[in-house]
Amino acid sequence: MSADYLFQTDKCYDVTYDTGDKVIQCGRHNDIFKFWLQWRSRGMSGFEKQIDRLMELTYYQVEQMKKMPEKFYLINDEPECTNVIFWYIPTRLRDEKRDHFWQDELGKVTALIKGKMMKTGSMMISYQPLGELPNFFRSIISNQAQTEEDIDFMLAELDRLGHDL
């Protein structure tokens, strides 16, 4: 299928285990049946409440990141649905000129932080490149059981794992 933007080779593990690129849905099971079951169970108002909560959490994440511009660079100032795309900025790059070399370094840092996440088992945030942009984090809020405290933990954990890179 060659979904290179989803299955990068700069992982901290053997990428032959990324079998999702070998199927048409990138490793997902047939999701429409699960969607239909949820819709039947929750109804329109239940889905509306769920989406509203996910959007609240997404906007909370963006607002918290905007309060820390020295640590987080939002690629889009506003989220696209529940997607927040950003770079974490380690201490050594915070006062550097923000050019394509800076972006390239942040792309390398992104992959390193993801490796640290996996080794510590503390959380998982996906990353990907896009066009001329090197790897960036792509946070997707999809669990309505998440809380603002979970978002705060995520941001603090990114700082803990990446500040010295």
Side-chain angles (χ1 to χ4, degrees):
M1 299 287 144
S2 191
D4 297 339
Y5 64 100
L6 292 176
F7 301 100
Q8 303 89 355
T9 57
D10 56 351
K11 304 274 177 82
C12 66
Y13 58 86
D14 183 354
V15 295
T16 59
Y17 294 113
D18 282 340
T19 59
D21 197 33
K22 296 173 179 55
V23 296
I24 197 158
Q25 286 188 310
C26 293
R28 294 178 178 220
H29 299 288
N30 192 342
D31 292 333
I32 194 65
F33 183 61
K34 292 184 279 184
F35 175 74
W36 181 82
L37 286 174
Q38 284 187 354
W39 198 333
R40 292 282 296 168
S41 171
R42 297 172 190 213
M44 288 293 284
S45 64
F47 259 116
E48 180 180 1
K49 288 177 187 174
Q50 178 180 350
I51 298 303
D52 287 347
R53 179 63 180 146
L54 297 176
M55 291 305 298
E56 284 174 15
L57 289 168
T58 302
Y59 280 106
Y60 177 81
Q61 178 184 338
V62 168
E63 289 309 310
Q64 294 306 106
M65 292 174 119
K66 284 181 177 180
K67 291 177 184 176
M68 299 180 274
E70 73 284 357
K71 295 179 183 180
F72 298 100
Y73 181 87
L74 289 161
I75 295 171
N76 287 346
D77 286 335
E78 296 301 320
E80 294 183 356
C81 197
T82 60
N83 291 276
V84 179
I85 58 175
F86 65 94
W87 283 304
Y88 172 79
I89 309 168
T91 305
R92 71 179 172 89
L93 296 174
R94 291 181 184 166
D95 294 323
E96 295 296 317
K97 182 179 177 187
R98 296 186 174 200
D99 57 14
H100 68 91
F101 297 111
W102 182 76
Q103 289 182 352
D104 288 343
E105 280 301 304
L106 293 177
K108 294 172 189 171
V109 165
T110 299
L112 291 171
I113 293 174
K114 174 64 179 259
K116 284 182 156 189
M117 281 181 210
M118 294 181 72
K119 288 175 183 168
T120 63
S122 59
M123 62 181 182
M124 292 279 286
I125 305 172
S126 61
Y127 71 86
Q128 71 178 70
L130 180 64
E132 297 295 315
L133 293 175
N135 290 330
F136 54 83
F137 285 113
R138 185 172 55 114
S139 167
I140 302 171
I141 309 283
S142 60
N143 179 352
Q144 68 184 11
Q146 281 183 286
T147 65
E148 285 79 3
E149 290 78 20
D150 294 324
I151 303 298
D152 293 340
F153 171 80
M154 176 185 70
L155 300 179
E157 184 69 352
L158 282 165
D159 191 38
R160 185 184 75 80
L161 295 173
H163 75 276
D164 61 346
L165 295 177

